[in-house]
Amino acid sequence: MDQDIIKSLKGLFTIVVVLGIVVMVLLGGVLLLQQHPDVLVSPKEEDTTIPPPLVSENLVKDGVHVATGLVAAEGYEMVIANCTNCHAANLITQNRGDKEHWEKLIDWMQETQGLWDLGKNEQVIVAYLAEHYAPVQRGRRANLSEIEWYELVE
């Protein structure tokens, strides 16, 4: 009978020791993760490359880049390379603004939409946009001409 109790106590002691070791290993792991949370994550290099533009056709007809509808003038290729990666070209062609408007829009895209730093290209892009997509003065319509007037018959 005493042998059975001693044998049971040894088994219980072994279980307690094993559980203690397991708890110590788990606590050590938790402490390690708190101190170095990136241990389980492989280091990932930030992708800083600029993706290629979605528009690859380069056909220009009547001074307009066919694939985008942009005026084919100095700087339009830079606009395609930097702007059409994220949005369609018609977001450009349907808007109008002066230099300050386009600069503010670029700043907004950089602050909120993840647009990269355009560097020296920003001046070229803004100059292109301000010249070809400048505000349009709207006034009265032009007078009608070449109209064949007729008299009303009562």
Side-chain angles (χ1 to χ4, degrees), residues 66-88:
V66 173
T68 61
L70 292 170
V71 174
E74 182 180 343
Y76 86 98
E77 291 169 324
M78 199 169 293
V79 170
I80 291 171
N82 287 281
C83 302
T84 60
N85 285 313
C86 299
H87 58 76

Side-chain angles (χ1 to χ4, degrees), residues 45-64:
E45 291 183 26
E46 186 174 322
D47 186 15
T48 58
T49 58
I50 298 172
L54 298 174
V55 177
S56 60
E57 297 176 28
N58 203 16
L59 178 65
V60 174
K61 185 176 181 182
D62 298 329
V64 176

Side-chain angles (χ1 to χ4, degrees), residues 28-119:
V30 169
L31 289 174
L32 178 68
L33 286 176
Q34 283 183 338
Q35 297 295 323
H36 305 284
D38 55 342
V39 167
L40 298 177
V41 179
S42 62
K44 186 176 181 181
E45 291 183 26
E46 186 174 322
D47 186 15
T48 58
T49 58
I50 298 172
L54 298 174
V55 177
S56 60
E57 297 176 28
N58 203 16
L59 178 65
V60 174
K61 185 176 181 182
D62 298 329
V64 176
H65 184 249
V66 173
T68 61
L70 292 170
V71 174
E74 182 180 343
Y76 86 98
E77 291 169 324
M78 199 169 293
V79 170
I80 291 171
N82 287 281
C83 302
T84 60
N85 285 313
C86 299
H87 58 76
N90 64 359
L91 276 179
I92 299 167
T93 59
Q94 69 187 9
N95 286 294
R96 299 276 173 186
D98 57 10
K99 181 181 174 189
E100 289 76 27
H101 168 79
W102 292 110
E103 287 173 341
K104 285 181 183 177
L105 198 56
I106 288 171
D107 290 344
W108 174 79
M109 287 187 278
Q110 288 174 331
E111 291 170 7
T112 63
Q113 305 299 309
L115 176 61
W116 51 84
D117 180 18
L118 297 173

